[in-house]
């Protein structure tokens, strides 16, 4: 979900065609740095099999692969995946060899159950009926003793005037995410709205990430 333009397509138009066009429009649309919450939450995890969902230009995927993870990177945009693969190969052939790039639409594709030691996704925003299917599928893909890390924008950003698409229904709450992860199956490590600064169109904002980090019980 883009967070730079309030004049964005309707939610249902955020498909492969939109994102292919977006990634083709510029050499790089994101910073090229891994997301801060990933670095904070995953730095001390032992490398294993990771699924990175909504991989975009591949910064998070490459960060994981450089630390020894075998990563499957999923994105709806073939253009974004091509750019990410080229960048990874140029920067670190050894890490790039640990990455599998796969084009997939999460509204019609689900990952295999229990297959990954880490499932991570940043800023996936769907209509409630869609996320009620997608998020449980991502949770189910975590292996016993594995980690789920989901990071998203918050409704608080809309109220604070941060430039976000004006669709409150596309934002989920901490309570909704906690309900996704019942205590008999999950240990909650982090569930919080975490502030950080970001600059959009030359203006600095304090934004809040909803960080959900949970460990699946054995």
């Amino acid at each position: 979900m883009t967070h730079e333009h309030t004049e964005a397509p309707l939610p249902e138009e955020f498909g492969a065609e939109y994102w292919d066009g977006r990634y083709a429009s510029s050499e790089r649309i994101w910073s090229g740095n891994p997301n801060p919450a990933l670095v904070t939450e995953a730095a001390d995890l032992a490398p294993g099999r990771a699924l990175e969902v909504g991989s975009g230009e591949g910064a998070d995927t490459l960060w994981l692969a450089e630390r020894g993870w075998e990563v499957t990177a999923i994105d709806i945009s073939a253009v974004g995946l091509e750019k990410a693969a080229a960048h990874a190969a140029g920067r670190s052939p050894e890490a790039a060899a640990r990455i599998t790039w796969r084009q997939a639409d999460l509204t019609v594709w689900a990952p295999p159950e229990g297959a990954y030691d880490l499932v991570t996704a940043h800023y996936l925003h769907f209509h409630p009926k869609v996320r009620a299917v997608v998020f449980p599928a991502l949770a189910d893909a975590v292996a016993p003793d594995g980690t789920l890390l989901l990071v998203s924008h918050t409704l608080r950003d809309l109220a604070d005037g941060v430039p976000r698409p004006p669709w409150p229904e596309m934002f989920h709450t901490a309570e909704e995410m906690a309900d996704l992860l019942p205590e008999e199956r999950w240990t909650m490590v982090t569930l919080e709205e975490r502030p950080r600064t970001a600059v959009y169109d030359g203006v600095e904002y304090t934004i809040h990430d909803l960080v959900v980090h949970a460990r699946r019980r054995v």
Side-chain angles (χ1 to χ4, degrees):
M1 179 178 177
T2 180
H3 55 107
E4 295 177 341
H5 305 285
T6 55
E7 295 181 2
L10 295 173
E12 60 269 20
E13 296 176 356
F14 277 118
E17 183 177 358
Y18 169 81
W19 284 109
D20 282 346
R22 184 90 191 275
Y23 285 121
S25 68
S26 176
E27 181 177 349
R28 181 172 291 279
I29 64 172
W30 308 124
S31 70
N33 300 316
N35 281 297
L38 176 69
V39 175
T40 298
E41 301 295 324
D44 294 332
L45 298 179
R49 301 156 298 167
L51 177 68
E52 210 261 298
V53 181
S55 54
E57 292 169 328
D60 286 359
T61 298
L62 185 56
W63 185 86
L64 289 167
E66 287 177 334
R67 282 149 186 79
W69 290 86
E70 297 285 338
V71 189
T72 299
I74 301 293
D75 201 273
I76 196 171
S77 172
V79 175
L81 290 166
E82 182 179 351
K83 291 175 64 176
H87 174 68
R91 172 167 152 172
S92 176
E94 182 180 358
R98 288 192 285 270
I99 302 171
T100 299
W101 307 96
R102 175 170 179 173
Q103 194 277 337
D105 181 345
L106 291 176
T107 64
V108 296
W109 175 86
E113 293 187 12
Y116 301 98
D117 304 297
L118 170 66
V119 174
T120 178
H122 282 67
Y123 312 118
L124 295 182
H125 290 264
F126 299 103
H127 278 299
K129 288 184 179 180
V130 177
R131 67 174 177 257
V133 175
V134 171
F135 284 171
L138 297 183
D140 286 344
V142 178
D145 203 36
T147 296
L148 178 69
L149 176 62
L150 302 175
V151 182
S152 55
H153 302 303
T154 68
L155 273 171
R156 179 171 176 172
D157 284 357
L158 283 180
D160 290 346
V162 178
R164 303 269 187 244
W167 309 312
E169 70 276 11
M170 302 287 283
F171 296 80
H172 42 271
T173 66
E175 292 75 17
E176 181 181 353
M177 301 308 290
D179 288 343
L180 170 68
L181 305 169
E183 291 184 3
E184 63 269 19
R185 294 184 62 197
W186 296 90
T187 299
M188 191 68 72
V189 178
T190 304
L191 180 63
E192 67 178 17
E193 291 189 4
R194 183 175 297 168
R196 62 185 176 91
T197 59
V199 177
Y200 304 139
D201 297 326
V203 179
E204 184 175 275
Y205 297 87
T206 296
I207 66 176
H208 290 80
D209 291 332
L210 174 58
V211 180
V212 181
H213 175 178
R215 193 142 187 108
R216 187 167 182 172
R217 297 184 186 274
V218 177

